[in-house]
Amino acid sequence: MIHRLWTKTQDYASQVLLGLILVAAIIYLSMVSEHFLTWFNIRNILDQSTLLVIMGVGMTFVICTAGIDLSVGAVVALSGICMATAMHSGLAVGPAILLGLLAGTIIGLLNGLIISAFNINPFIVTLGTMSVTRGIALIMTGGIPIYGFSTAFTWWGSGHIGPINPPMLLALGIALAGAVVLNYTKLGSYALALGGNEEALHRSGVATKKNKVIIYGICGFTAALAGLVVTARLNTAEPLAGYMFELDAIAAVVLGGTDMKGGRGSISGTVIACLLLGVLRNGLTIMSIPSYYQQLAIGLIILIAVIISELRFRNTLNRLQEAN
Amino acid sequence: MKMRKVGSLVLILALLVSLVGCGGSTQNSDNNQAAPTPQQSEAANAKMQEMEDILMAQLQPLPETNTGDKIGILVITLTNPFWVGMKEAYEAAGQELGVEVEVMAAPTENDSKSQLETLQAMTAKDYKALIISPIEPFNLVPGIVQANNKGIKVVNLGPGVDTAAVANAGGKIDGRICVDFEEQGKLAAEYIIEKMGSEGGKVAIIQGIPGAGQSEGRTQGAKKAFESAPNVELVSIQPANWDRNTAYNTATNLIQAHPDLKGIFCCNDVMALAAADALEAAGQREGKIIFGVDFIGEAAEAMKSGKLDGSIAYSSTVYAKAAVLLALKTIQEQEVPETVFSPLAVVTKENIDQYEGWK
């Protein structure tokens, strides 16, 4: 019993460690600034982390398969623009949102199709679709932001549900759904197995290509959902929205303990990492640290956390080998 | 094993703390340093005084100073020399006027989301007023509403916040100070037209980020001037996103497509300098007029060496001081004009010696 509990803790050590760093950062920041630990500011941090959480969940799936999706930032922009264009040409809010989500999902599915059909490196494929998607976004808008939507739409970004807001609820919902799918469904196990040994999975009769396409579709969908939040929040769809979001999302996922080489991933880790990044960005601003140092600090923290996570994982592997 | 983990954890925390510490102390030492005082020529001093007089006239009656109020300032990015200059100007103005200023920025010129997050974090602090310069007209709107709700005054400097969008979101801007972007484009274009003389010729415009206020305003102003001039043909308007490398390539392409091009107006100096380099590299610099906007230090050097033809200047020192005064006026609930305009100067390689030490 105790032994099982111990191995269980070992499984989650990455997340526990990250959680401890998060708590330490919060304690430190609340000691140095009275403005940090106020509900007003905590709400800020949660609100700001929602985008990253939503995109991070999809990205976790992709990275589990040893893949990567560089197109998510551009998908954020394009899906927002699809929604905006649809609404401005008279479509109701609900169908417009669905249209935008569909557009993002299609780009995700396309990524998956090209990657698995032609067996091309995901980095290259999504680098291409990133540029294509951004290009379409710029062409559709002529470079000029589209703005001014009904409150039924902006509610998705800046509405109120008691003390929280719709993006927080969306992020929570997506994170829970993601955790259930990754841990308790076939698709989740296949995602992890795809990253471990695709060939073996294929030989055991699993439709690896189909699953891969679905997983990239999920990533496109979550990016489009992030597009909904950012467009509704700013009441504007800009072609340059989501610029470099892909890097933030990848950093959060890897920081959360998901292995770039695939086979190992955790939604809770991603969520904690998003919160940690949110807390650090906010805290460094509250402390009036100049932006140069903020970039340096956040970059170093990501590097250190990833190194620690890798060392820990290797130790676990060694232990397993010894046990065998 | 365990020790190592604990050790790593301690290390990461130590790093975090030391980084934060070193960042903080650097910032403080910045604040404590007196503003650098390059040699200012009499002529530049007189011109700056003239501009200050024009601005101060718009701010009458002047607010009470030395109040020690905390004013938060959000500029676009400190990777652009113009905003670095503005940061120094703000800090100097803060010292002169006896208020506490803190200048924050987005990590890069394009990162509109981070800029909003920075503003939202700033609204959690105890500032009396915020002076903000948005990356684009809409990105800071939610943060402005938050500041309004906390009773923090919001002054908009430079690139405009979309006031309709702010009103829609239930907020307001308490004061606005800016440069007339169209006027900047117009002045630059007029110089190019005058230099080309009666025979005219082909001209082009290199824009910043399409949709960004300064970029669109300057483009419009220059476009109107070019189009209304006889014998002047505007052959191309190309975006280069304020980016040096993009502008270099754009200028190369422009000169490839139109070898007989006579003038290029660039919406900022960084792009103008890149265009000058590109034309030089293509062996096509001779006889072509390149004009920028902002009058950054590098542009001044380039004008002296003849690499750049000119730039549109305004005094950052006076501009920042007027912005801080405007913020104080809003804090003290005084009436403020709808928009305060900063006066402009056309600096060219002919008159550059009169602008020695201008800032």
Side-chain angles (χ1 to χ4, degrees), chain B residues 25-145:
Chain B
S25 63
T26 314
Q27 216 246 350
N28 286 341
S29 68
D30 277 355
N31 286 345
N32 296 339
Q33 267 166 21
T37 45
Q39 290 249 281
Q40 264 166 317
S41 71
E42 288 292 318
N45 260 340
K47 283 200 190 304
M48 280 170 67
Q49 191 57 50
E50 190 186 312
M51 300 220 152
E52 184 160 342
D53 292 343
I54 298 175
L55 265 174
M56 293 309 145
Q58 298 180 64
L59 291 169
Q60 293 298 334
L62 291 179
E64 193 185 323
T65 55
N66 293 314
T67 52
D69 287 335
K70 261 179 96 171
I71 298 178
I73 290 155
L74 180 62
V75 299
I76 288 186
T77 173
L78 296 175
T79 55
N80 177 332
F82 170 76
W83 291 111
V84 176
M86 279 303 288
K87 175 179 189 270
E88 284 162 7
Y90 274 125
E91 282 161 0
Q95 268 189 355
E96 186 187 335
L97 300 173
V99 293
E100 214 179 308
V101 301
E102 272 180 357
V103 184
M104 305 299 291
T108 66
E109 201 103 27
N110 293 321
D111 201 343
S112 51
K113 172 175 159 273
S114 287
Q115 200 194 21
L116 172 63
E117 290 176 1
T118 306
L119 177 62
Q120 287 176 326
M122 289 172 87
T123 59
K125 295 183 71 172
D126 54 353
Y127 296 118
K128 285 268 180 63
L130 291 165
I131 303 174
I132 56 167
S133 305
I135 288 178
E136 46 95 27
F138 305 98
N139 73 313
L140 295 183
V141 172
I144 293 166
V145 177

Side-chain angles (χ1 to χ4, degrees), chain A residues 69-82:
Chain A
D69 188 349
L70 299 178
S71 67
V72 289
V75 169
V76 166
L78 184 66
S79 58
I81 285 165
C82 285

Side-chain angles (χ1 to χ4, degrees), chain A residues 7 15 71-72 102 114 129 146 167 185 202 216 239-240 243 254 280 298 308:
Chain A
T7 44
Q15 287 95 297
S71 67
V72 289
L102 188 69
I114 300 173
T129 48
I146 306 172
T185 66
H202 183 64
Y216 277 88
L240 292 179
Y243 184 79
V254 176
L280 288 175
I298 287 173
I308 292 178

Side-chain angles (χ1 to χ4, degrees), chain A residues 5-222:
Chain A
L5 204 68
W6 174 239
T7 44
K8 206 75 186 149
T9 324
Q10 287 280 298
D11 281 351
Y12 291 107
S14 230
Q15 287 95 297
V16 171
L17 182 64
L18 205 61
L20 283 176
I21 298 176
L22 176 64
V23 171
I26 292 174
I27 292 174
Y28 176 71
L29 288 165
S30 30
M31 284 191 313
V32 294
S33 172
E34 51 180 333
H35 306 298
F36 180 77
L37 209 62
T38 58
W39 170 240
F40 183 83
N41 196 43
I42 290 172
R43 196 177 179 284
N44 266 344
I45 296 171
L46 291 176
D47 187 37
Q48 290 165 4
S49 306
T50 53
L51 279 179
L52 204 50
V53 169
I54 293 172
M55 278 187 300
V57 169
M59 189 65 86
T60 306
F61 277 88
V62 166
I63 293 184
C64 276
T65 69
I68 199 145
D69 188 349
L70 299 178
S71 67
V72 289
V75 169
V76 166
L78 184 66
S79 58
I81 285 165
C82 285
M83 294 174 200
T85 316
M87 282 184 291
H88 276 201
S89 49
L91 210 63
V93 171
I97 292 177
L98 287 178
L99 193 74
L101 295 178
L102 188 69
T105 312
I106 288 174
I107 291 177
L109 291 171
L110 263 176
N111 279 332
L113 264 176
I114 300 173
I115 290 164
S116 49
F118 302 101
N119 207 10
I120 310 175
N121 186 310
F123 190 96
I124 303 299
V125 172
T126 56
L127 190 65
T129 48
M130 166 175 89
S131 194
V132 168
T133 311
R134 185 71 75 188
I136 297 173
L138 281 161
I139 293 165
M140 280 178 72
T141 56
I144 296 162
I146 306 172
Y147 63 95
F149 311 116
S150 64
T151 45
F153 181 75
T154 54
W155 180 85
W156 288 97
S158 50
H160 295 275
I161 306 176
I164 63 164
N165 66 10
M168 294 181 204
L169 212 60
L170 272 181
L172 186 69
I174 286 288
L176 286 176
V180 168
V181 172
L182 188 64
N183 296 318
Y184 301 104
T185 66
K186 268 191 186 156
L187 182 69
S189 330
Y190 292 161
L192 289 162
L194 267 170
N197 190 341
E198 188 171 342
E199 184 60 28
L201 191 65
H202 183 64
R203 289 200 181 169
S204 60
V206 175
T208 50
K209 290 188 173 173
K210 190 185 95 185
N211 281 292
K212 223 181 216 182
V213 174
I214 295 173
I215 285 162
Y216 277 88
I218 291 175
C219 192
F221 172 78
T222 54

